[in-house]
């Protein structure tokens, strides 16, 4: 079997699945910021309950997303040793920054936020969540800096076949970075908003006791998803004008494409330098889904009418539309990555020089093993999310006061066992 094909399939599998975890993480943490900030300012119990409920789903996704990210890092070292050898001096710098931000700052802030309920001052606890969100966005920024360099290598010079970083600021001003980063962040808002709107719709359809609570989260999620899809479309279409000049074989003119192929043929020898058709097929379906989700803007004013919520038809539409942002995101990521083929670093490092020198059998075992592990993490993630989402928001474990028993289905909010009129409900749990 062809080791290069298997390595590319493994790369596509690991990055696509991990990307879905990232979208949910970025989307939900933004919504949590709004909810906990509103709770801190207004002191309304509804925002506390929503923060605890959606925070539980966020923590589940974050923990398993970290595990999927570690698997993705492993496949770089196993399958793409040529990438590290030829361009690791440049490509590794932003990835190292991302690792420091995600595995040290973000995880530290998140741990303190999880265990800081009822132990820290409200303002300090909220500041920790802001730290989680800012470091999450910083992590996404550094990942996109690294990926944008693969799309358009800048700020380097080649000495003895090895790329060396000469201008760090050029990585931060890469023309392929800005619009792509905005597109990814907007896609995260769209995904998080749709997830919130979909889960809320499910509870409203079932007429759960938390009807009023999920009606509020439905509106918050729907407005967020609407804003997200508007920016997704704007940043997405804007990339065509940016990518064309730097990737002529992807979206450039025929003259620019022919000139680039002639130059590469002289430098690297004859070969097929045209991206696979798969890139354009995925692009077409992604655009269709994006335009379809743009119809969300018409649901925003309608869902503020109580009779339309009771009609349930818009709720079913939102519930069925939850997978669409995930599908569009995978198609978009594949378009971005497949569209630069046959290059690992566009115009600088072909994929056949970047792949590790192992035989097909070893690569097949690696591909199957990583795919099974990622599949297990994905199934576990969505099983846990679905299970906790189905329980409702009456009393999630996150944020429950120490020594308190779970609240009943009435969801009576509390902050401290001693200030509740019926303290018997909060008797310590026997050891």
């Amino acid at each position: 079997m062809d080791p290069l094909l298997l390595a590319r399939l493994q790369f596509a599998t690991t990055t696509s699945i991990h990307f879905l975890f990232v979208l949910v993480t970025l989307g939900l943490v933004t919504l949590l910021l709004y909810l906990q900030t509103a709770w801190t300012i207004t002191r309304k119990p509804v925002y506390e309950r929503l923060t605890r409920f959606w925070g539980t789903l966020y923590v589940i996704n974050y923990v398993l997303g970290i595990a999927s990210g570690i698997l993705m890092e492993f496949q770089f070292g196993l399958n793409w040793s040529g990438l590290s050898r030829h361009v690791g001096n440049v490509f590794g710098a932003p990835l190292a920054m991302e690792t420091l931000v995600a595995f040290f700052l973000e995880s530290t802030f998140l741990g303190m936020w999880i265990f800081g309920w009822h132990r820290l001052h409200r303002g300090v606890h909220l500041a920790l969540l802001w730290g989680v969100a800012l470091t999450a966005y910083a992590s996404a920024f550094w990942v996109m800096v690294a990926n944008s360099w693969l799309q358009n290598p800048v700020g380097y010079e080649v000495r003895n076949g090895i790329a060396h970083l000469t201008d760090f600021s050029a990585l931060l001003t890469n023309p392929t970075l800005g619009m792509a980063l905005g597109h990814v962040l907007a896609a995260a808002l769209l995904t998080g908003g749709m997830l919130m709107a979909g889960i809320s719709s499910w509870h409203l359809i079932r007429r759960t006791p938390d009807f009023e609570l999920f009606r509020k989260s439905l509106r918050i999620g729907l407005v967020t998803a609407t804003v997200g899809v508007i920016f997704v479309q704007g940043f997405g279409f804007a990339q065509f004008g940016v990518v064309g000049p730097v990737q002529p074989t992807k979206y450039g003119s025929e003259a620019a494409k022919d000139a680039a192929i002639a130059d590469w043929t002289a430098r690297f020898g004859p070969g097929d330098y045209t991206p696979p058709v798969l890139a354009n097929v995925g692009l077409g379906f992604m655009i269709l889904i994006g335009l379809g989700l743009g119809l969300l803007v018409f649901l925003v004013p309608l869902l503020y009418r109580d009779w339309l919520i009771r009609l349930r038809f818009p709720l079913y539409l939102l519930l069925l539309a939850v997978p669409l942002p995930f599908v569009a995101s995978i198609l978009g990521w594949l378009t971005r990555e497949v569209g630069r083929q046959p290059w690992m670093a566009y115009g600088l490092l072909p994929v056949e020089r970047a792949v590790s020198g192992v035989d097909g059998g070893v690569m097949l075992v690696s591909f199957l093993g990583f795919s099974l592990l990622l599949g297990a993490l994905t199934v576990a993630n969505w099983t846990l999310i679905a299970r906790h989402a189905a329980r409702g928001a009456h009393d999630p474990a996150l944020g429950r006061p120490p020594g308190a028993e779970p609240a009943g289905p009435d969801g009576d909010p509390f902050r401290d066992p001693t200030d509740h009129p019926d303290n018997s409900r909060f008797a310590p749990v026997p050891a």
Side-chain angles (χ1 to χ4, degrees):
M1 302 186 72
D2 185 5
L4 178 58
L5 175 61
L6 292 171
R8 292 176 61 185
L9 287 174
Q10 182 171 331
F11 185 86
T13 302
T14 53
T15 53
S16 297
I17 292 178
H18 178 66
F19 185 49
L20 299 184
F21 284 92
V22 172
L23 288 176
V24 176
T25 296
L26 289 174
L28 285 186
V29 77
T30 307
L31 291 163
L32 281 175
L33 271 185
Y34 168 75
L35 294 173
Q36 185 162 348
T37 302
W39 171 41
T40 303
I41 294 174
T42 67
R43 305 296 179 93
K44 292 182 178 180
V46 62
Y47 288 114
E48 176 188 5
R49 293 176 62 195
L50 286 173
T51 301
R52 294 172 60 204
F53 174 75
W54 294 105
T56 300
L57 305 187
Y58 167 78
V59 170
I60 292 171
N61 183 82
Y62 180 89
V63 171
L64 293 173
I66 287 291
S68 69
I70 293 174
L71 289 177
M72 188 180 68
E73 295 290 341
F74 274 133
Q75 68 95 29
F76 271 116
L78 292 173
N79 296 350
W80 302 101
S81 58
L83 175 68
S84 301
R85 181 169 58 254
H86 291 289
V87 300
N89 293 331
V90 184
F91 179 70
L95 283 187
M97 295 294 295
E98 189 275 336
T99 301
L100 290 173
V101 170
F103 286 94
F104 290 92
L105 291 177
E106 185 181 359
S107 58
T108 300
F109 287 141
L110 180 60
M112 295 175 67
W113 181 78
I114 292 172
F115 297 104
W117 286 82
H118 310 287
R119 293 179 174 88
L120 299 174
H121 186 273
R122 288 176 181 270
V124 175
H125 194 241
L126 176 62
L128 288 173
L129 185 61
W130 275 93
V132 173
L134 293 176
T135 50
Y137 277 90
S139 176
F141 170 77
W142 289 115
V143 168
M144 292 306 298
V145 168
N147 182 264
S148 295
W149 189 84
L150 295 179
Q151 305 289 334
N152 179 44
V154 293
Y156 73 97
E157 66 176 11
V158 177
R159 298 194 296 268
N160 299 322
I162 306 298
H164 295 270
L165 182 63
T166 58
D167 185 3
F168 187 79
S169 63
L171 274 65
L172 308 182
T173 57
N174 195 325
T176 62
L177 173 61
M179 294 301 172
L181 178 62
H183 189 62
V184 168
L185 297 182
L189 284 180
L190 170 61
T191 304
M194 284 301 300
L195 186 62
M196 177 175 282
I199 293 175
S200 301
S201 297
W202 185 78
H203 281 279
L204 294 177
I205 291 171
R206 295 177 65 243
R207 305 294 186 187
T208 60
D210 296 317
F211 185 90
E212 294 299 324
L213 190 80
F214 283 108
R215 184 168 63 173
K216 177 177 285 292
S217 65
L218 170 67
R219 293 169 178 172
I220 295 172
L222 184 59
V223 170
T224 302
T226 303
V227 173
V229 76
I230 292 172
F231 282 100
V232 161
Q233 293 175 355
F235 283 115
F237 285 115
Q239 288 186 76
F240 287 102
V242 175
V243 176
V246 298
Q247 290 189 348
T249 56
K250 194 172 185 178
Y251 300 133
S253 64
E254 286 298 323
K257 177 180 177 180
D258 293 340
I261 291 176
D263 176 58
W264 295 333
T265 302
R267 291 165 51 196
F268 299 98
D272 184 7
Y273 296 103
T274 304
V277 179
L278 175 63
N280 291 328
V281 173
L283 175 65
F285 282 107
M286 179 189 63
I287 291 175
L288 286 176
I289 294 174
L291 294 176
L293 289 173
L295 298 176
L296 288 172
V297 70
F298 296 106
L299 290 179
V300 174
L302 295 178
L303 286 179
Y304 280 85
R305 302 289 182 179
D306 291 342
W307 66 268
L308 197 59
I309 292 180
R310 293 188 176 90
L311 189 63
R312 298 188 181 183
F313 177 69
L315 303 179
Y316 280 108
L317 288 179
L318 288 172
L319 184 59
L320 294 174
V322 169
L324 294 180
F326 294 96
V327 175
S329 298
I330 289 180
L331 293 175
W333 192 253
L334 290 177
T335 297
R336 181 173 175 84
E337 299 305 296
V338 176
R340 77 165 185 262
Q341 295 301 314
W343 303 101
M344 180 57 77
Y346 194 84
L348 175 64
L349 180 65
V351 288
E352 61 266 15
R353 296 188 183 181
V355 70
S356 300
V358 298
D359 59 44
V362 174
M363 194 69 74
L364 177 62
V365 172
S366 173
F367 171 58
L368 293 177
F370 274 68
S371 298
L372 288 174
L373 284 172
L374 284 168
L377 288 173
T378 303
V379 171
N381 182 60
W382 288 106
T383 300
L384 291 172
I385 286 178
R387 183 175 299 173
H388 284 270
R391 291 177 179 175
H394 62 274
D395 185 21
L398 180 67
R400 185 183 301 154
E405 290 183 348
D410 59 343
D412 192 12
F414 54 80
R415 291 175 182 80
D416 190 284
T418 59
D419 61 4
H420 194 280
D422 182 12
N423 290 333
S424 61
R425 288 180 54 196
F426 303 102
V429 179

